[in-house]
Amino acid sequence: MSYILQTNHLTKTINGKDLVKNADIHVEKGTIYGFLGPNGAGKTTIMKMITNLWKPTDGSIEIFGEILTTKSYYLLKRMGNIIEFPVFYEHMSGIENLKLHSEYMGYYHPNNIEQTLELLSLSDAGNKPVKQYSLGMKQRLGIARAVLCKPELLILDEPTNGLDPAGMKQIRDLFRRLCTEYGITIMISSHILSEVESIADTIGIIHHGVMKNEIAMKEITEQNTEYIALSVGDTQKAAYILAEMGLERFKIVDEQNIRIYDTRMNIQELSKTLVLHQVELHSIGQKAESLEDYFLKLTQELGNEK
């Protein structure tokens, strides 16, 4: 398997605390890698090391088949990135900021800036000073700068911050297009799991600075467990009725919700029985576990282990 990016026992320690410890990451060429973890899990720390903003305490990073060092400027020219919030020269226009970036990267292509601004719906704002941009516009300009020089690898830390739902869909479609049509590999972190679920080929999950799992989205989809979602006024009473009905494969999720994993159960019969036994029924329906379910289940298990 061809990995455009991989890390080996990557570690970052500050003031005696391990922000990241022995992290092994594998990003396959020509795919979108969704990087997930709770706030403070170490996602940004790893991305800062991959983009050479921070030096690892231990371990190594291999990009394009070469070990990254503090002098790997030629490797960095083949990458685009957004780490945390994009920063610009506020008094300069969007076009001027992108021209400066092109000069810095040594990338010259006729009409490239105009085409990139159009791609991010920023054509009308190109000549305005960046200080007049909204948060969402600055975020789109940051993405424009990241993709401007046609990088082989994009490292994007929460790239949809500040965007409305329509803007998020536009960016999601853009990332998939960059990957499928231009062969750009993308590593993207996000706290919006549904956004990652809709575009990622592979998921990497980090918790307390330790990589816990890497899994293909296809595998998550294939192992998704179907269940009947039941919302009631009294879960304890409902659980007693379910047991009396002979059901064994169910789980009380919280004070109002139960999941029944025997999907052969007739929903109409189930709801009728609960109502007859005076269980207040809020909702009932058949569902399948999502990436969010998978992520929450894994991180909760890890929290219990800790």
Side-chain angles (χ1 to χ4, degrees):
M1 188 172 291
S2 176
Y3 295 122
I4 196 169
L5 163 66
Q6 56 184 326
T7 69
N8 181 40
H9 298 301
L10 190 63
T11 300
K12 182 63 178 180
T13 304
I14 296 179
N15 296 327
K17 179 181 179 181
D18 290 330
L19 302 184
V20 172
K21 186 174 182 180
N22 296 326
D24 293 339
I25 294 174
H26 308 84
V27 180
E28 190 177 353
K29 185 176 181 180
T31 64
I32 298 179
Y33 184 100
F35 196 28
L36 302 176
N39 289 335
K43 302 187 299 296
T44 299
T45 298
I46 285 180
M47 288 182 156
K48 284 182 175 180
M49 289 189 282
I50 291 172
T51 53
N52 239 354
L53 295 174
W54 281 6
K55 182 179 179 182
T57 304
D58 199 6
S60 62
I61 301 167
E62 184 178 312
I63 302 178
F64 309 121
E66 298 187 37
I67 298 297
L68 185 70
T69 71
T70 55
K71 297 183 179 180
S72 298
Y73 309 117
Y74 56 98
L75 294 180
L76 297 176
K77 281 195 171 187
R78 298 166 66 182
M79 296 167 57
N81 69 81
I82 295 179
I83 305 298
E84 295 182 323
F85 297 101
V87 178
F88 304 96
Y89 291 100
E90 296 274 326
H91 65 285
M92 295 170 59
S93 69
I95 290 177
E96 289 169 335
N97 272 277
L98 295 185
K99 282 183 177 178
L100 187 63
H101 183 70
S102 294
E103 292 283 343
Y104 174 78
M105 296 293 288
Y107 184 89
Y108 306 97
H109 191 282
N111 302 320
N112 187 48
I113 290 176
E114 290 75 12
Q115 292 171 358
T116 304
L117 287 173
E118 183 177 355
L119 199 63
L120 274 300
S121 301
L122 286 172
S123 297
D124 293 340
N127 288 308
K128 294 180 180 179
V130 173
K131 62 184 178 183
Q132 295 180 11
Y133 282 28
S134 66
L135 176 61
M137 291 169 67
K138 287 181 180 178
Q139 199 69 20
R140 292 207 304 274
L141 185 62
I143 296 170
R145 184 171 61 188
V147 305
L148 181 66
C149 300
K150 304 298 186 292
E152 298 168 58
L153 174 63
L154 273 174
I155 305 295
L156 303 172
D157 184 21
E158 300 277 1
T160 57
N161 272 346
L163 299 182
D164 59 23
M168 292 168 66
K169 183 183 185 306
Q170 178 194 23
I171 298 304
R172 184 177 68 229
D173 293 343
L174 171 62
F175 291 158
R176 177 49 64 188
R177 180 182 173 191
L178 290 174
C179 183
T180 56
E181 294 185 18
Y182 297 94
I184 296 176
T185 305
I186 303 175
M187 181 182 188
I188 175 173
S189 74
S190 177
H191 67 282
I192 304 174
L193 302 186
S194 59
E195 288 297 303
V196 174
E197 182 176 27
S198 63
I199 63 171
D201 300 295
T202 302
I203 299 296
I205 296 176
I206 186 170
H207 193 67
H208 295 303
V210 179
M211 287 296 298
K212 291 299 182 179
N213 200 18
E214 286 185 312
I215 184 170
M217 270 303 307
K218 181 180 178 181
E219 186 175 340
I220 294 177
T221 302
E222 289 174 350
Q223 71 181 31
N224 270 357
T225 304
E226 290 189 351
Y227 61 92
I228 296 172
L230 185 65
S231 178
V232 294
D234 186 340
T235 53
Q236 295 300 324
K237 185 176 181 179
Y240 175 80
I241 302 301
L242 295 177
E244 287 291 304
M245 294 174 67
L247 292 174
E248 297 179 353
R249 298 181 60 238
F250 65 86
K251 175 184 177 182
I252 297 177
V253 179
D254 52 38
E255 293 180 355
Q256 289 189 325
N257 296 291
I258 297 177
R259 290 184 180 180
I260 302 170
Y261 293 100
D262 188 349
T263 55
R264 294 172 298 177
M265 183 68 194
N266 184 284
I267 291 180
Q268 288 183 335
E269 180 183 341
L270 176 61
S271 59
K272 180 180 178 180
T273 302
L274 291 170
V275 171
L276 285 174
H277 285 82
Q278 297 181 335
V279 174
E280 184 183 353
L281 183 60
H282 298 158
S283 65
I284 186 170
Q286 195 158 329
K287 295 185 178 181
E289 290 186 339
S290 63
L291 172 61
E292 182 177 16
D293 295 314
Y294 179 85
F295 173 78
L296 292 175
K297 180 180 177 182
L298 181 60
T299 52
Q300 284 169 3
E301 288 174 353
L302 296 172
N304 292 335
E305 290 175 7
K306 187 174 178 67

